[in-house]
Amino acid sequence: MLRRLLFIIVLFTPIWASPIISTDRNLSLKTLESRSLLFEYHKMTTVDSKRSYYFPRRDSSWKKQEEQSLLHYGESRGAFWASIIGGIDYRGSSALNDTIFPGVDGGLYLRGYLDSLEFMIDARIYNERHYSDKIKSFDREFLEHQKAENNSGFEYTSYARYRGHFALNMGFARLDLARDALHWGPAYYNNLTLNQFSVPYNSMSLELQLGPLSVLSFYGDLMIYASSMSDKNKDNRHVYGHRYELALGSFVLGVSELQVLYELNHPWLFVPIVPLFMEKGNHPENSNNGSISIDIAYHFMNFARVYTEFFLDDMESPVSLIKNDNIEAKWAWLAGFQMGKNFTYKSYGVELGLIAEYSRVEPFVYSHFKANTAQIAHLGHPLGNQAGPNSQNIDFNVYSRIQKRLQIGLHSNWHWKGTDYGSALNDTTPKSNHMNIPKKFLDGASMKYTLSPSISYSGDFFFYMLELSFIGERAVFTRFGFKW
């Protein structure tokens, strides 16, 4: 009986598609494809093909896939699909100190193409009921609380969310206008330059490919303060970045650089050949901040891969970086390992794998001399590693997917976060004596361990997931969603 039920659940391959290989939307805008990036990394581990470590990026095969939708129109030049999408959530978290139920959302998911133009947008309206007096945003974007006295005794929280891409493919290049979170590098959890779990932002990117070499140039429009509706966000912050990636079969080398400008904007930085780590010296020190990183990934026989990334925010000299004894030596490092295997069990296609990662982020990384200026951050959260400065993480995840429908995972996280100087994005020290302040990594920090099992099912029209967290952080997140 159980075998027959499993056969009914996983018999067919999902028939949805998107022009974008997107990042995993771990907090909001959950969809039937909400674990797409995890299994894209699994695919790059287990299949011999060209490997690229920058996302979101184009899925050139999506037009060939079958697609179900409420509305579809197609002709020789192009086509579009329109679906109604939504769901209901239950969320409870010790970090939020709140319970959210019901959380109801609904909206439209549009995607299509016209000649060489491709587009997609997922736009939804949310309504939630909170049970705490101090309401926080679950996904760190804005929310608006409606008071009971202003709504005939009915109290609720409402907000809107969207992510989208509008891209022009020009053969030699791809120009993409988007609202999303970029993800650069071979790691899944702890990327140091741009991380998929950052708060989404508006951006423009240009992708160039020449054989094994890929060059990505991007611009991002950032907000400084945690509340996006604050008048303080009239101050402007911009980020420019380049990623240069060389894919040579089993070996992938990447170099990523960022430059953040406060109350300045110089579009020249978007040009792919401009070395941002050199250009940084042409701008006022208090109004700009930069970083550069190098990452390496090596793949073994379509079974495993190892990878590392070293991120440099600032240093006085190479010697001071090696000594690592003052706060001017701002750097971060990660290392990771992934194994994957695809096989068939009693006619069911099974994908099985594990990811293990370690990251270390030194004090004052992503920060700047003056609070709320040129931090490498958006809405008060880093663009890179989400633990922020003065932190350490170990992540271990065992995952499986059956017939591309049923997903099971067990994620363990060991987390250390400092409380001393340099642990927050807006930590500053007097510029006159900051070189004399000794650096303390995780001084007095305690370890926090969290265990999170999860299970989800993606059907043709319906989606269900359940994620639990125990021990360090206690949380429950369950969602029933649909797409038609």
Side-chain angles (χ1 to χ4, degrees), residues 154 170 327:
F154 184 58
M170 297 169 280
I327 66 174

Side-chain angles (χ1 to χ4, degrees), residues 392-427:
Q392 183 173 252
N393 273 302
I394 300 174
D395 289 279
F396 185 84
N397 182 25
V398 180
Y399 62 87
S400 179
R401 184 168 67 171
I402 303 173
Q403 210 73 3
K404 300 188 183 298
R405 294 266 192 184
L406 184 66
Q407 299 177 21
I408 302 170
L410 183 62
H411 178 207
S412 297
N413 174 254
W414 293 261
H415 173 67
W416 293 260
K417 177 68 174 176
T419 58
D420 204 352
Y421 290 115
S423 300
L425 285 170
N426 285 314
D427 275 4

Side-chain angles (χ1 to χ4, degrees), residues 24 26 30 34-35 38-39 188-189 396-402 405-412 450-457 463-470 475-479:
D24 286 341
N26 66 318
K30 288 281 190 180
S34 63
R35 290 290 177 87
L38 174 61
F39 287 95
Y188 179 77
Y189 289 106
F396 185 84
N397 182 25
V398 180
Y399 62 87
S400 179
R401 184 168 67 171
I402 303 173
R405 294 266 192 184
L406 184 66
Q407 299 177 21
I408 302 170
L410 183 62
H411 178 207
S412 297
T450 301
L451 181 67
S452 303
S454 65
I455 185 170
S456 67
Y457 166 71
F463 168 76
Y464 178 74
M465 67 166 295
L466 173 65
E467 294 181 357
L468 303 172
S469 293
F470 302 102
V476 56
F477 179 19
T478 185
R479 173 175 176 77

Side-chain angles (χ1 to χ4, degrees), residues 158-429:
S158 64
Y159 54 90
R161 297 287 185 267
Y162 77 94
R163 294 200 189 192
H165 291 260
F166 189 83
L168 181 64
N169 304 300
M170 297 169 280
F172 67 93
R174 174 180 171 86
L175 181 65
D176 186 15
L177 309 178
R179 177 174 179 80
D180 216 324
L182 276 68
H183 188 77
W184 288 359
Y188 179 77
Y189 289 106
N190 293 288
N191 301 52
L192 302 173
T193 302
L194 295 176
N195 192 297
Q196 62 168 325
F197 300 123
S198 62
V199 183
Y201 41 88
N202 302 328
S203 67
M204 176 176 66
S205 63
L206 178 67
E207 178 186 353
L208 303 169
Q209 289 195 10
L210 181 62
L213 178 65
S214 300
V215 179
L216 192 72
S217 182
F218 104 103
Y219 159 78
D221 184 19
L222 306 179
M223 291 187 176
I224 299 174
Y225 294 87
S227 174
S228 59
M229 301 180 71
S230 170
D231 284 344
K232 294 180 180 179
N233 274 317
K234 291 179 180 178
D235 296 341
N236 58 74
R237 176 189 289 167
H238 310 273
V239 60
Y240 290 88
H242 299 151
R243 177 167 176 82
Y244 309 96
E245 189 173 280
L246 186 63
L248 300 173
S250 298
F251 179 78
V252 180
L253 171 67
V255 176
S256 302
E257 54 179 359
L258 298 178
Q259 186 168 352
V260 175
L261 299 178
Y262 170 71
E263 292 298 312
L264 293 173
N265 194 13
H266 296 287
W268 169 253
L269 301 181
F270 187 76
V271 178
I273 64 169
V274 174
L276 298 182
F277 70 97
M278 294 182 179
E279 179 67 20
K280 185 179 183 298
N282 296 327
H283 305 283
E285 180 68 16
N286 288 332
S287 297
N288 88 97
N289 193 5
S291 69
I292 187 169
S293 74
I294 182 170
D295 57 79
I296 297 172
Y298 187 78
H299 299 252
F300 300 91
M301 299 176 291
N302 296 333
F303 174 70
R305 65 189 183 98
V306 294
Y307 51 89
T308 186
E309 180 183 2
F310 180 78
F311 175 94
L312 182 61
D313 190 337
D314 203 355
M315 67 173 181
E316 180 191 19
S317 68
V319 174
S320 67
L321 187 66
I322 295 172
K323 287 184 176 180
N324 197 34
D325 59 355
N326 65 65
I327 66 174
E328 193 71 6
K330 298 192 294 183
W331 57 272
W333 176 70
L334 71 81
F337 175 74
Q338 182 171 8
M339 294 176 58
K341 181 69 175 177
N342 301 331
F343 59 93
T344 300
Y345 177 74
K346 295 184 178 180
S347 76
Y348 306 128
V350 179
E351 298 161 278
L352 179 66
L354 65 86
I355 293 178
E357 287 184 9
Y358 167 80
S359 70
R360 169 181 174 140
V361 184
E362 290 288 299
F364 291 96
V365 170
Y366 308 126
S367 68
H368 202 50
F369 298 117
K370 187 176 180 181
N372 300 311
T373 54
Q375 284 73 18
I376 306 176
H378 173 55
L379 285 174
H381 299 276
L383 297 183
N385 191 294
Q386 294 302 285
N390 203 13
S391 67
Q392 183 173 252
N393 273 302
I394 300 174
D395 289 279
F396 185 84
N397 182 25
V398 180
Y399 62 87
S400 179
R401 184 168 67 171
I402 303 173
Q403 210 73 3
K404 300 188 183 298
R405 294 266 192 184
L406 184 66
Q407 299 177 21
I408 302 170
L410 183 62
H411 178 207
S412 297
N413 174 254
W414 293 261
H415 173 67
W416 293 260
K417 177 68 174 176
T419 58
D420 204 352
Y421 290 115
S423 300
L425 285 170
N426 285 314
D427 275 4
T428 59
T429 57

